Structure formats: C-alpha cells, structure tokens
Amino acid sequence: MKKVLAGLPNYSKYCSKAKAYLQDNGIEVIENETGAPLSKEQLKQMIKDVDAAIAGVEVYDAEIMDAAPKLKVISRFGVGVDNFDLEEARKRGIICTNCPGINSTSVAEHTVMLMLNLLRECPQLNQETKEGNWRRLMVTELSGKTVGLLGFGAVARKTAKMLKGFSCRILAYDKFPNEEIAREIGVEMMSLEEVVKQSDIISVHVPAMDETYHFVNKDMIASCKDGVYLINTSRGTNVDEKAVYDALESGKLGGFGSDVFENEPVTKDYPLFKFRNYICTPHTAAESYENYAETGMRTAKAILHVLNGGTEPWNKLV
C-alpha cells in the first residue's frame, strides 16, 4: 500500500473528502496530529517510509529528501513553493506540484479586509468600545482610492475585481504583464515606479524569490505618497520590516496590514506591535473551509496521478 504524509495540521477535519478519496484508491494517509506545522526533526521521522507528501509550510530540502528514499511527489497545499528545494527535487526525480489560483478568493477577501480595517480602525474601535471608551472616529473611505497591485497573478486579479465594487482606480505592475486580462478587469498596467508613485494603497502580490527579497524596501517607500497604506498577503520576505518600522515611526506610512512575517511564528516582542496603525493576522489569509476542501482534492488528485505513473502535469508542475 502506498503511503501519503499530510504535513499540514487538521487534515482530517478540513479535508475529509480528499482523505477519503485517497483511501478509496488504496492510499494510506499518515497525518500530522501535532496541531502545528511539523519541525524538521518531526518531518524527518514521519517521512521515512512515504511515497508522497502533501506539504504545508514545512521545508523540503536535501536533508528531508535524504530521509525519504521512496518519495516520488510533493504536492504543495497552496501556491508558494519557496519551502521546496526544487533543484534538489529535480535531481532526484521527485515531482513537485502546487495549486495556483484556488486560494485566490480567500486571500483576496483577506486583502480587502485588511485595507478596510486599516482605513476604518475596526480592530482598535472594537477593543476600545468593549473597554468603555466611546471614541467617535473620523475615517478615510476606500471608495475612490487609487490602489496599486505589485504583481498581477490570480490573487491580485481577484482583489482588483473586488475593489471595483468600491469604485477604486486600480493600477498594477507585473514583470510579465497580461494586458488583455488587465483591460477586461479595468486595471491600468504601469511601470513599478508609476504604480508606487500614484497609489494611495499598495498591496503586495509577488512570489517569494531571490529577486523579490525585500521587494518593498526603504527606497520604494521613500518614493510613495506620504501617508500611503501598505498591505502584504504574499510572503513576509517580500517586505523589509525594518524599512516599514522606520516608515511607520516617521509617519511616511499611514498604516501597514500584513498576514505574513519574515520569520514565523512571531513572538509578543515583535517590533511592529508597538504601532496602533499596524494590523496583522497569523498567516491565515488562505484558511477558509472552501479553499481547504478544493485544495485538498486538487492535491490528492495530483498525488494519485503521479503515483499511478503520470508524468505530465495534472495541475501545475513546478
């Protein structure tokens, strides 16, 4: 019997149909029952005898692959594969897959939620009201603002469609711009410099790569409008947190909303926590029942495809 390791927590709870699908096709599912992402040592112990892995945020490097001589496929439960050593996997003939586009609705909703919460200070007002402080706050509306999207993949496109309901002007930069889709949505593709210079709100949607490390940095922030709002639901390494700290301190940034961090998980002494106009969530933008159900089936089918001898892409081979 082939064995699959589900590395993400709560697989049975949120991916029951995917688990049943694997089992119905003769696959034994080994689950992460720790309630948290697996450490390297935990992963090394659990992966010794498995043929495939459904990967959460745990790292699959040469050391892990050495511990898994039977491993044939790693299917990322999501989009980003910055936790995979893809070159090492290619050398060993391990097929890697991911699920582009599936989580776009959940992450886009989360992106717009962070924008609204920054502009209207909902978390702060909620807490203050519960404490008996009746603060009548004047806010800035999202309606009519110019929003710049750095990256124009599936999440950014879905975000743009949602923002159209707020009558926003949408600008976007992408290294490989899709002008046709931009026109269909009503998005203006521009240079990075122009997007940054013109936007009232900037939202980061680039993948995590060597070339996008600290993509948003001190120099980029300096060229923004004073009081610009920054949103990051991509990867923590895409934003230089020290530059953000300085910009919040000086008032250059009107606020920062983030679902991701350079180092996760963060501790209570995380420097940005001192700012009232910083709103964060613990990397949960893609955590929706709908996304888990669909991504669960997509990863299960990709794994079964490879274990049955398939080599051509069933979803996306990276």
Side-chain angles (χ1 to χ4, degrees), residues 20 57 67 113 165 197 236 238:
V57 297
M113 178 271 293
K197 184 169 69 174
N238 292 337

Side-chain angles (χ1 to χ4, degrees), residues 42 79 94-95 108 114 145 185 200 207 217 225 256 312:
Q42 288 171 325
V79 181
I94 299 171
I95 293 176
L114 286 173
K145 295 298 179 291
I185 301 175
D200 303 307
N217 51 38
K225 291 182 178 181
F256 179 43
E312 294 301 315

Side-chain angles (χ1 to χ4, degrees), residues 107 116 121 141 158 195 240 258 293-294 302 314:
V107 179
L116 288 166
E121 296 190 27
E141 295 179 0
K158 190 64 66 73
V195 171
D240 181 348
S258 180
E294 190 173 353
W314 182 84

Side-chain angles (χ1 to χ4, degrees), residues 47-50 64-72 92:
I47 205 168
K48 287 180 178 179
D49 194 37
V50 305
I64 293 300
M65 294 177 199
D66 283 341
K70 295 173 62 179
L71 191 63
K72 299 178 182 65
R92 299 166 186 252

Side-chain angles (χ1 to χ4, degrees), residues 5 7 32 34 36-47 57-60 64:
L5 170 65
N32 167 14
T34 68
L38 294 171
S39 68
K40 172 164 278 193
E41 288 306 312
Q42 288 171 325
L43 183 56
K44 283 172 68 175
Q45 291 301 313
M46 296 184 72
I47 205 168
V57 297
E58 63 274 15
V59 174
Y60 283 81
I64 293 300

Side-chain angles (χ1 to χ4, degrees), residues 211-226:
E211 64 187 276
T212 57
Y213 178 77
H214 286 182
F215 188 73
V216 177
N217 51 38
K218 179 180 179 181
D219 292 339
M220 181 183 288
I221 293 172
S223 65
C224 293
K225 291 182 178 181
D226 290 342

